[in-house]
Amino acid sequence: MKHLTILVPDAQTALSTISCIVGAYDFFTRANEFRKENGERPVFKVELAGVSGRSEFANGLVAIMPQTDISSIRKTHLIIIPSMTSEFKKAVSGNLLLINWIEEQYKNGAEVASMCSGAFMLASTGLLNGRNCSIHWDSADNLKSLFPEVNIKTEKLITDEHGLYTNGGGYSFLNLLLYLIEKYYDRQTAIYCSKIFQVEIDRVTQSDFAIFTPQKSHGDEVVKKAQSYLEDNFSEKISFEDLSQRFAVGRRNFDRRFVKATGNTPLEYLQRIKIESAKKAFETTRKTINEVMYEVGYADLKTFREVFRKITGMSPLAYRNKYNRDAV
């Protein structure tokens, strides 16, 4: 039987940390029971492990007592890191011990899965450097600033690379659990858990949930002014050559500074502003696809559809039908 370690951090936690811990324990326990009911051996021995005998959450409102200390686990096969506070800056307290333990276990063959902002702890090990990582779109900028060598993929619901798994935000960690159960158990067990817990199986994207929030904590005043100009004039025809001249910066240097500051090229930034405005129109009005398209500055329906799908993972019509019942 393999060993599964669900970590219980002793600091930098949130209410979502509890949800991840309890959810993971519930899913894998149920998967084991399903196997036994079908005359097969359970796949995992599931243990909650930490560095203290009691971890408190939400100012003592809830407490979890880990079943064991990480120091007593010599060999584990899968480690699950729950979500943490989105204001993470650097690991503190017993979380430093957890980070060192994760790194050592990974070197010994363990796989590691982080849920949402648990990616901060996983990234702190250095294991994500040069690798893909999903996280809640609202935490992406903080993760990027703290760990610039990590390839952030907010459009992905789940990443799976070299025995490292990450997933997006909110309760999408349930989809990661189904993904892991299918990988370690089988498809039949994953479908069973999907039906028991009523979680949609095979979700692959979180793009349609993302709200574009411009990154402006970079300190480049020229880029900030350019961002403001794009946000105020996104429906107009914009020449990036003219925009760079407006701020007396060469085009190549302007593009380089813009990407460094925001993580997007000027064109990508403009597209995201346009599509965010289109999304709001689809959510709150009865305007047609063409009306919204013209309103945000597109003249070609094919181009509008392609950009919208690239950013949200859905067509404009599908998005409107999903988020605006009145329009439907």
mmCIF file of all heavy atoms in Angstrom, residues 35 122 128 167 188 204 210 221 228 260 308:
data_model
loop_
_atom_site.group_PDB
_atom_site.id
_atom_site.type_symbol
_atom_site.label_atom_id
_atom_site.label_comp_id
_atom_site.label_asym_id
_atom_site.label_seq_id
_atom_site.Cartn_x
_atom_site.Cartn_y
_atom_site.Cartn_z
ATOM 1 N N ARG A 35 -12.822 0.813 -3.347
ATOM 2 C CA ARG A 35 -11.961 -0.302 -3.756
ATOM 3 C C ARG A 35 -12.267 -1.554 -2.919
ATOM 4 O O ARG A 35 -12.362 -2.667 -3.457
ATOM 5 C CB ARG A 35 -10.487 0.093 -3.579
ATOM 6 C CG ARG A 35 -10.029 1.222 -4.478
ATOM 7 C CD ARG A 35 -9.578 0.738 -5.823
ATOM 8 N NE ARG A 35 -8.327 -0.006 -5.719
ATOM 9 C CZ ARG A 35 -7.574 -0.309 -6.772
ATOM 10 N NH1 ARG A 35 -7.960 0.053 -7.979
ATOM 11 N NH2 ARG A 35 -6.441 -0.977 -6.628
ATOM 12 N N LEU A 122 4.939 25.226 -2.339
ATOM 13 C CA LEU A 122 5.642 24.380 -3.294
ATOM 14 C C LEU A 122 6.728 25.168 -4.017
ATOM 15 O O LEU A 122 7.852 24.671 -4.199
ATOM 16 C CB LEU A 122 4.654 23.778 -4.297
ATOM 17 C CG LEU A 122 5.229 22.828 -5.351
ATOM 18 C CD1 LEU A 122 6.026 21.701 -4.704
ATOM 19 C CD2 LEU A 122 4.105 22.262 -6.212
ATOM 20 N N LEU A 128 9.548 24.206 -8.455
ATOM 21 C CA LEU A 128 8.759 24.710 -9.575
ATOM 22 C C LEU A 128 9.552 25.609 -10.521
ATOM 23 O O LEU A 128 9.015 26.054 -11.535
ATOM 24 C CB LEU A 128 7.533 25.486 -9.061
ATOM 25 C CG LEU A 128 6.364 24.660 -8.526
ATOM 26 C CD1 LEU A 128 5.273 25.577 -7.980
ATOM 27 C CD2 LEU A 128 5.792 23.751 -9.603
ATOM 28 N N ASN A 167 -3.029 23.316 -9.050
ATOM 29 C CA ASN A 167 -4.356 23.599 -9.607
ATOM 30 C C ASN A 167 -4.766 25.031 -9.298
ATOM 31 O O ASN A 167 -4.132 25.724 -8.509
ATOM 32 C CB ASN A 167 -5.393 22.603 -9.088
ATOM 33 C CG ASN A 167 -6.056 23.030 -7.802
ATOM 34 O OD1 ASN A 167 -5.503 22.862 -6.731
ATOM 35 N ND2 ASN A 167 -7.248 23.577 -7.901
ATOM 36 N N GLN A 188 -12.710 4.307 -13.189
ATOM 37 C CA GLN A 188 -13.970 3.925 -12.552
ATOM 38 C C GLN A 188 -14.106 4.532 -11.158
ATOM 39 O O GLN A 188 -15.175 5.014 -10.773
ATOM 40 C CB GLN A 188 -14.062 2.395 -12.466
ATOM 41 C CG GLN A 188 -15.396 1.889 -11.914
ATOM 42 C CD GLN A 188 -15.438 0.380 -11.818
ATOM 43 O OE1 GLN A 188 -14.439 -0.300 -12.046
ATOM 44 N NE2 GLN A 188 -16.599 -0.167 -11.466
ATOM 45 N N VAL A 204 -10.893 21.252 -17.453
ATOM 46 C CA VAL A 204 -9.488 21.494 -17.782
ATOM 47 C C VAL A 204 -9.090 22.964 -17.741
ATOM 48 O O VAL A 204 -7.909 23.298 -17.815
ATOM 49 C CB VAL A 204 -9.137 20.927 -19.177
ATOM 50 C CG1 VAL A 204 -9.294 19.418 -19.199
ATOM 51 C CG2 VAL A 204 -10.027 21.561 -20.261
ATOM 52 N N ALA A 210 -11.739 33.917 -14.578
ATOM 53 C CA ALA A 210 -10.745 34.949 -14.276
ATOM 54 C C ALA A 210 -11.295 36.356 -14.492
ATOM 55 O O ALA A 210 -12.033 36.620 -15.444
ATOM 56 C CB ALA A 210 -9.513 34.751 -15.145
ATOM 57 N N GLU A 221 6.860 54.163 -14.065
ATOM 58 C CA GLU A 221 5.863 55.205 -14.240
ATOM 59 C C GLU A 221 5.427 55.352 -15.693
ATOM 60 O O GLU A 221 4.266 55.660 -15.974
ATOM 61 C CB GLU A 221 6.397 56.546 -13.711
ATOM 62 C CG GLU A 221 6.613 56.572 -12.206
ATOM 63 C CD GLU A 221 5.343 56.243 -11.445
ATOM 64 O OE1 GLU A 221 4.251 56.721 -11.853
ATOM 65 O OE2 GLU A 221 5.428 55.497 -10.450
ATOM 66 N N SER A 228 -2.809 53.261 -18.208
ATOM 67 C CA SER A 228 -3.975 54.141 -18.021
ATOM 68 C C SER A 228 -4.529 54.606 -19.358
ATOM 69 O O SER A 228 -5.753 54.672 -19.552
ATOM 70 C CB SER A 228 -3.591 55.349 -17.163
ATOM 71 O OG SER A 228 -3.225 54.949 -15.861
ATOM 72 N N LYS A 260 8.064 43.363 -19.028
ATOM 73 C CA LYS A 260 8.724 43.179 -17.738
ATOM 74 C C LYS A 260 7.829 43.631 -16.590
ATOM 75 O O LYS A 260 7.777 42.996 -15.526
ATOM 76 C CB LYS A 260 10.037 43.956 -17.709
ATOM 77 C CG LYS A 260 10.820 43.784 -16.413
ATOM 78 C CD LYS A 260 12.127 44.561 -16.445
ATOM 79 C CE LYS A 260 12.894 44.386 -15.128
ATOM 80 N NZ LYS A 260 14.159 45.158 -15.128
ATOM 81 N N PHE A 308 -11.557 36.289 -27.889
ATOM 82 C CA PHE A 308 -12.406 35.994 -26.732
ATOM 83 C C PHE A 308 -12.190 34.554 -26.267
ATOM 84 O O PHE A 308 -12.030 34.292 -25.071
ATOM 85 C CB PHE A 308 -13.879 36.217 -27.093
ATOM 86 C CG PHE A 308 -14.788 36.288 -25.906
ATOM 87 C CD1 PHE A 308 -15.150 37.508 -25.363
ATOM 88 C CD2 PHE A 308 -15.289 35.129 -25.306
ATOM 89 C CE1 PHE A 308 -15.983 37.592 -24.254
ATOM 90 C CE2 PHE A 308 -16.113 35.193 -24.205
ATOM 91 C CZ PHE A 308 -16.466 36.424 -23.673
#
